[in-house]
Amino acid sequence: MKFSAIAGVLFAASTAWGLSTKGIQNLLHRRLPAHANDFQFWLVNVKTNDTTNDHYTVTTTKKGEILVEGNSLSALSSGLHRYLTDVAGVDIFWYIGSRLDQAPRTLPKLTDVLEGTSIVPWRYYFNTVTFSYTSAFWTWEDWEDQLDWMALHGINFPLAWAGQEKVLVEVLQELGLTDEEINSYLSGPAFQAWNRFGNIQGSWGGSLPTDWIKKQYILGQQIVGRMVELGMTPIFPAFTGFVPRNISRVLPNATTVTGGSWNKFPEIYTNDVFLEPSDDNYALLQKSFISTMQRDFGQVTKYYTLDQYNENNPYSGDTEYLRNISRYTWESLKEADSEAVWVMQGWLFSYSASFWTDNRIEAYLSGVEDNSDMMILDLFSESSPQWQRTNSYYGKPWVWCQLHDYGGNMGMYGQIQNITQNPIAALANSSSLQGFGLTMEGQEGNQIIYDLLLAQAWSSDPIDTETYFKNWVTTRYAGAKSIPKGLYTAWEAMRTTVYNNTDPNISTAVTKSIFELIPSISGLTGRTGQQGTLVTYDPAVLVDVWKLFYQAAQSEKSLWNNPGFQYDIVDITRQVLSNAFIPAYNNLVSVYTGNSPTAANINAAGKALITILQAIDNVLSTNKNFMLSTWISKARSWAPSSAIADFYEYNARNQITLWGPNGEISDYASKSWGGLVSSYYIPRWEMFIGYLNSTAYASYNNSAFTAELLTWELEWNNETSRSTYSKPGNLKKVLTEVATLLSIAI
Ligand SMILES: *[C@@H]1O[C@H](CO)[C@@H](O)[C@H](O)[C@H]1NC(C)=O
Ligand SMILES: *[C@@H]1O[C@H](CO)[C@@H](O)[C@H](O)[C@H]1NC(C)=O
Ligand SMILES: *[C@@H]1O[C@H](CO)[C@@H](O)[C@H](O)[C@H]1NC(C)=O
Ligand SMILES: *[C@@H]1O[C@H](CO)[C@@H](O)[C@H](O)[C@H]1NC(C)=O
Ligand SMILES: *[C@@H]1O[C@H](CO)[C@@H](O)[C@H](O)[C@H]1NC(C)=O
Ligand SMILES: *[C@@H]1O[C@H](CO)[C@@H](O)[C@H](O)[C@H]1NC(C)=O
Ligand SMILES: *[C@@H]1O[C@H](CO)[C@@H](O)[C@H](O)[C@H]1NC(C)=O
Ligand SMILES: *[C@@H]1O[C@H](CO)[C@@H](O)[C@H](O)[C@H]1NC(C)=O
Ligand SMILES: *[C@@H]1O[C@H](CO)[C@@H](O)[C@H](O)[C@H]1NC(C)=O
Ligand SMILES: *[C@@H]1O[C@H](CO)[C@@H](O)[C@H](O)[C@H]1NC(C)=O
Ligand SMILES: *[C@@H]1O[C@H](CO)[C@@H](O)[C@H](O)[C@H]1NC(C)=O
């Protein structure tokens, strides 16, 4: 007998006759030990199927305890979160961590019942690539923070990729492939997401060590165990069909096709071999993969993530072919797990819209003959929704997702209107909409925008964002003796500007700073779309916000030591300086292309750029969340030897810079990090200024400069920093220097 998702939770719970609330109590012990005994959790009218919404109530008992009742574990943690944020005024955040221990010594009593009902049964989390852009090198402690954050924010449907390579390797070994053949297929620690998608294969700069596979497997088991304990239904990987090239050696008669080439990668690293689902071996491998997943990670889910054509078009556009592919794939899943539900990222339909015409989508989806056996993630719903043109995916259940961020880019950005109004409109218009979710490529600084959509999953009307921001600010700076009014004013100013982009012609996602791009005299400014460089608001607004922040800490000194405040003022300063870089850059270009482009004039204009970049590096280097050394030292910490640590560091450096052995998608996942600005971007701009002062405009040759630069970039990628991370600098001192630099009166 197969376990359903609910039965799976039962299986994992400590009592045989019901769900255990032990996971939530453990969370309290971790995060709020002083109040661990002040809460009671009761499951009532426990939901028995995956289409029921979650419901909680929170009250104070006669004995003064806070009683949370709910129909699921996720309802209980959502009710707990509601009390903690709205009543106790505390929360848990990405990067800055849990601030729940700042709750009042005596917990406030409730006079009224707090009550909440979700408007969708599922709250989905993660993009396949988040596992590479953000969590590639996370430790178990990082995951514990993240999973507590997820549980409290009502997430009940997360992807669970970590550790899958161990399973894949075992399945391929059973088939008779050698370790060398398998290893030649696997990608490095920072690039596994695209290997899992079948976009790339193999590893440059070194090969994936067995030690990595083993350690990630153990980590993956811990993650899944905790997800289940906290009431989440993990989504497991499945066998996709992508296999090592030498599959033909062990299965000489197998039907395979070669996938497309991805971006500008050389053939050796792309064009993955795809075993056609119609081949008898496909179902056998699926069965082997899924039974190994269940054996090693538990029979805790019936949901499987499976993407065959992400940024990789099918071999044929013939509708019968497409329908066959999905029908055989679906049958393979059902043979392996009779309850299986196929979860698919819908990105292909937006990214490859010219291939994926409506009738091809319909054909591909129709191969899954029972609608309830599939779940589509409408991946970029806030800007490029596909559910309307596909008539709600022709009846398949789907999830309204906010993507918001590409490549872990760091600009301040948000669309408060589209993420509150559009999901509500969709719910009214589509009966197969079953969840809201977050599918960012990387987690970054605009957390409020992610929190907002998750909150929207519990409100049948579009949330009043003015009130929402106010409450969020209160919890964000919990622990400060008081929260100056200026901080509320500052966030209100950001709500209506920075976080209220409505124009897709300007931008559809987090913006990028132009200094993170390869220097050039054209093409950097004015970019629109997914990694746009156009600032979507009046930059002066953010300077005012900066002043309000600085003044707030001057009037309330405890803010200088408040981690929420420290994080935000660094992020805002980063953005203010990035915005100031644009006119300085424009000036350099006009000096160079103008009437007196002397070396001295070019150098003077160029020096202004370097000064701003140095200031950016200084401010970022005050906070470990904005430092290159944090990323690198975490990567190195996974390695069993210094040679392997050097390979992990190469992976870490390469992903955020060249992204590929020779800059195949250079700067896609660029970061504004202390240590990266000073060691990578500043030298690039200095070389550019040097190129300009020695090259007449008439002879300017961008490809010549870029080629020269690549030689240096490749060397930087090979550098190793054996030191642990650098000590952060003094924030207040750096901020006064920034004020002087930008002539801001403080
Ligand atoms: C799911 O359970 C609810 C009650 O919790 C019930 O109303 C609904 O009909 C059930 N749906 C299915 C598909 O079983
Ligand atoms: C693939 O198989 C061929 C023999 O058919 C062998 O020469 C080659 O080394 C194998 N490739 C790898 C990566 O092991
Ligand atoms: C492959 O097909 C050929 C011709 O049909 C057959 O002779 C051979 O036994 C098959 N090999 C395997 C491994 O099935
Ligand atoms: C689709 O699969 C059927 C067998 O189920 C087969 O007869 C048909 O030729 C296949 N069509 C294509 C285009 O692959
Ligand atoms: C907001 O959503 C609407 C409706 O889907 C869309 O037309 C618009 O382009 C979106 N705005 C942005 C900035 O993407
Ligand atoms: C409602 O759905 C239909 C069909 O799926 C679509 O044509 C229409 O644009 C949708 N309306 C809104 C407001 O999204
Ligand atoms: C967001 O921008 C739109 C378009 O300019 C405007 O209509 C709306 O009032 C703005 N919302 C807020 C909260 O500023
Ligand atoms: C975006 O540009 C298109 C084409 O120029 C125009 O039709 C549309 O009105 C613009 N959208 C906004 C919100 O300005
Ligand atoms: C050109 O600029 C570079 C980088 O700023 C500088 O090192 C160099 O001295 C300058 N050369 C001349 C001739 O001014
Ligand atoms: C520009 O530089 C590239 C690369 O060095 C070279 O191939 C090309 O011929 C140059 N173009 C001109 C117009 O000199
Ligand atoms: C970087 O290191 C690799 C060895 O891992 C070497 O093959 C390559 O030549 C080095 N590149 C540079 C530019 O130093």
Side-chain angles (χ1 to χ4, degrees):
M1 184 202 128
K2 291 284 175 199
F3 291 89
S4 72
I6 292 294
V9 175
L10 275 179
F11 162 86
S14 57
T15 54
W17 50 85
L19 293 172
S20 168
T21 59
K22 191 103 185 93
I24 301 184
Q25 309 204 337
N26 290 345
L27 184 156
L28 271 184
H29 278 280
R30 281 192 293 278
R31 306 299 172 194
L32 202 57
H35 291 301
N37 299 320
D38 296 341
F39 290 86
Q40 286 226 26
F41 299 98
W42 288 3
L43 284 158
V44 282
N45 299 326
V46 174
K47 61 186 222 179
T48 53
N49 66 50
D50 290 351
T51 53
T52 310
N53 286 321
D54 298 86
H55 175 256
Y56 65 76
T57 59
V58 190
T59 50
T60 305
T61 65
K62 285 206 185 96
K63 283 167 68 188
E65 292 161 318
I66 307 301
L67 170 64
V68 187
E69 296 171 273
N71 66 347
S72 69
L73 293 176
S74 183
L76 292 181
S77 51
S78 300
L80 171 63
H81 187 242
R82 171 85 179 280
Y83 173 84
L84 291 171
T85 55
D86 291 12
V87 182
V90 290
D91 205 348
I92 179 170
F93 299 94
W94 296 343
Y95 304 111
I96 70 175
S98 174
R99 301 292 289 157
L100 301 179
D101 57 355
Q102 302 298 312
R105 206 164 290 224
T106 306
L107 290 177
K109 288 192 170 135
L110 291 165
T111 45
D112 289 327
V113 182
L114 288 182
E115 187 163 9
T117 307
S118 70
I119 57 171
V120 279
W122 293 116
R123 277 82 58 193
Y124 172 84
Y125 205 70
F126 287 120
N127 186 312
T128 287
V129 306
T130 325
F131 287 82
S132 289
Y133 282 136
T134 297
S135 64
F137 302 112
W138 275 2
T139 61
W140 170 235
E141 288 68 33
D142 296 324
W143 272 103
E144 285 199 288
D145 281 353
Q146 176 80 14
L147 291 163
D148 286 348
W149 181 91
M150 286 160 59
L152 288 168
H153 284 77
I155 308 288
N156 60 0
F157 200 36
L159 267 185
W161 271 111
Q164 81 102 30
E165 277 63 29
K166 166 84 162 40
V167 173
L168 182 63
V169 166
E170 204 173 310
V171 168
L172 296 173
Q173 279 170 342
E174 270 170 31
L175 206 56
L177 285 163
T178 66
D179 289 349
E180 195 194 334
E181 286 167 331
I182 296 169
N183 197 256
S184 72
Y185 170 73
L186 300 173
S187 300
F191 302 102
Q192 294 191 302
W194 301 276
N195 189 216
R196 293 164 180 171
F197 267 149
N199 297 135
I200 61 171
Q201 60 183 319
S203 173
W204 46 97
S207 61
L208 188 70
T210 312
D211 187 72
W212 173 268
I213 297 173
K214 277 190 200 146
K215 284 180 181 155
Q216 288 295 306
Y217 170 68
I218 293 164
L219 179 69
Q221 288 176 324
Q222 285 176 296
I223 293 169
V224 168
R226 182 62 60 80
M227 283 175 173
V228 172
E229 184 184 296
L230 289 169
M232 302 177 208
T233 301
I235 305 170
F236 276 0
F239 175 68
T240 54
F242 295 107
V243 285
R245 289 200 168 100
N246 267 14
I247 189 82
S248 54
R249 188 183 62 75
V250 291
L251 299 176
N253 294 343
T255 315
T256 60
V257 294
T258 301
S261 80
W262 190 65
N263 285 306
K264 295 174 201 149
F265 276 77
E267 197 191 333
I268 179 175
Y269 297 125
T270 183
N271 299 105
D272 293 25
V273 173
F274 181 64
L275 176 66
E276 291 274 14
S278 57
D279 191 284
D280 290 343
N281 293 294
Y282 190 96
L284 296 174
L285 289 168
Q286 190 66 273
K287 203 164 192 158
S288 165
F289 189 101
I290 285 182
S291 61
T292 309
M293 275 307 295
Q294 289 178 340
R295 183 197 71 196
D296 293 359
F297 293 85
Q299 286 183 312
V300 293
T301 187
K302 58 179 181 176
Y303 292 92
Y304 299 94
T305 179
L306 205 168
D307 295 284
Q308 299 169 317
Y309 300 122
N310 180 77
E311 303 192 359
N312 179 13
N313 287 345
Y315 174 73
S316 158
D318 177 67
T319 49
E320 190 185 320
Y321 173 82
L322 293 172
R323 185 182 143 77
N324 273 3
I325 294 277
S326 55
R327 189 167 49 79
Y328 283 116
T329 305
W330 169 61
E331 284 171 0
S332 80
L333 287 169
K334 294 308 249 189
E335 272 176 49
D337 177 348
S338 62
E339 304 274 312
V341 177
W342 175 0
V343 180
M344 190 174 92
Q345 293 201 178
W347 173 243
L348 67 175
F349 304 136
S350 158
Y351 176 87
S352 236
S354 59
F355 176 88
W356 287 105
T357 55
D358 295 353
N359 62 335
R360 282 179 179 159
I361 298 177
E362 184 165 17
Y364 186 56
L365 299 185
S366 74
V368 179
E369 290 170 358
D370 186 338
N371 281 346
S372 63
D373 284 342
M374 198 170 208
M375 177 88 80
I376 311 282
L377 305 170
D378 191 68
L379 216 71
F380 192 14
S381 307
E382 78 275 28
S383 287
S384 182
Q386 302 296 310
W387 63 272
Q388 287 126 319
R389 77 149 163 139
T390 57
N391 203 358
S392 290
Y393 294 102
Y394 307 101
K396 297 284 185 293
W398 65 282
V399 181
W400 197 103
C401 298
Q402 173 180 220
L403 208 160
H404 185 259
D405 180 83
Y406 289 89
N409 287 179
M410 292 169 65
M412 298 180 76
Y413 179 85
Q415 297 183 26
I416 51 167
Q417 279 194 183
N418 271 12
I419 64 163
T420 52
Q421 293 167 8
N422 295 9
I424 298 302
L427 199 55
N429 195 20
S430 173
S431 58
S432 62
L433 172 52
Q434 292 197 354
F436 294 172
L438 299 175
T439 48
M440 63 282 145
E441 288 195 346
Q443 283 182 192
E444 22 74 32
N446 301 293
Q447 195 194 305
I448 193 167
I449 295 303
Y450 297 86
D451 289 358
L452 181 58
L453 180 62
L454 293 174
Q456 189 62 65
W458 297 80
S459 167
S460 51
D461 294 316
I463 284 178
D464 169 4
T465 55
E466 185 173 357
T467 308
Y468 186 84
F469 268 58
K470 242 183 236 157
N471 294 341
W472 195 87
V473 171
T474 303
T475 62
R476 181 70 164 177
Y477 307 115
K481 287 206 192 78
S482 68
I483 301 176
K485 239 178 113 196
L487 290 179
Y488 292 98
T489 313
W491 276 97
E492 175 58 11
M494 290 196 281
R495 180 180 74 91
T496 56
T497 54
V498 176
Y499 289 121
N500 185 36
N501 180 50
T502 55
D503 187 349
N505 295 336
I506 296 183
S507 160
T508 53
V510 162
T511 52
K512 208 179 188 69
S513 299
I514 64 163
F515 70 78
E516 295 171 5
L517 296 168
I518 292 175
S520 168
I521 56 169
S522 61
L524 306 191
T525 59
R527 290 191 189 184
T528 57
Q530 289 162 18
Q531 292 198 338
T533 57
L534 268 178
V535 179
T536 58
Y537 49 88
D538 175 2
V541 169
L542 208 59
V543 175
D544 292 340
V545 163
W546 187 92
K547 273 199 256 182
L548 287 166
F549 262 76
Y550 189 87
Q551 284 158 1
Q554 288 299 79
S555 69
E556 176 48 65
K557 300 273 192 290
S558 66
L559 284 170
W560 288 118
N561 296 315
N562 182 287
F565 180 83
Q566 290 169 333
Y567 185 97
D568 292 339
I569 199 164
V570 166
D571 202 27
I572 292 164
T573 312
R574 173 198 62 69
Q575 191 66 58
V576 165
L577 286 164
S578 302
N579 294 349
F581 187 88
I582 297 171
Y585 161 81
N586 286 335
N587 181 53
L588 171 68
V589 173
S590 53
V591 168
Y592 181 63
T593 59
N595 293 329
S596 49
T598 64
N601 287 345
I602 291 167
N603 284 342
K607 192 158 177 284
L609 268 58
I610 304 300
T611 306
I612 293 172
L613 292 177
Q614 191 55 59
I616 295 176
D617 196 79
N618 292 346
V619 73
L620 296 170
S621 299
T622 65
N623 192 308
K624 69 176 170 51
N625 293 304
F626 293 90
M627 287 160 74
L628 173 67
S629 55
T630 303
W631 174 244
I632 289 180
S633 60
K634 208 151 266 182
R636 297 188 68 91
S637 75
W638 282 95
S641 71
S642 74
I644 292 180
D646 288 351
F647 169 60
Y648 292 176
E649 175 163 356
Y650 170 75
N651 261 253
R653 286 172 177 255
N654 185 251
Q655 187 209 73
I656 58 172
T657 58
L658 290 174
W659 210 139
N662 286 296
E664 280 72 7
I665 35 177
S666 198
D667 299 323
Y668 178 84
S670 62
K671 301 285 176 300
S672 290
W673 281 342
L676 182 64
V677 177
S678 60
S679 75
Y680 196 69
Y681 301 128
I682 288 183
R684 288 210 310 199
W685 283 94
E686 277 174 342
M687 280 182 249
F688 181 63
I689 296 158
Y691 178 76
L692 296 187
N693 72 19
S694 60
T695 312
Y697 179 33
S699 319
Y700 178 86
N701 181 339
N702 199 63
S703 32
F705 170 70
T706 306
E708 187 189 313
L709 194 61
L710 180 60
T711 309
W712 176 86
E713 291 168 331
L714 288 167
E715 283 166 14
W716 186 92
N717 269 254
N718 270 11
E719 278 173 29
T720 54
S721 52
R722 283 153 200 267
S723 61
T724 52
Y725 62 70
S726 349
K727 197 175 171 319
N730 181 286
L731 176 61
K732 195 175 164 188
K733 177 169 165 284
V734 169
L735 293 180
T736 55
E737 290 162 5
V738 168
T740 308
L741 174 65
L742 298 180
S743 313
I744 304 176
I746 50 172

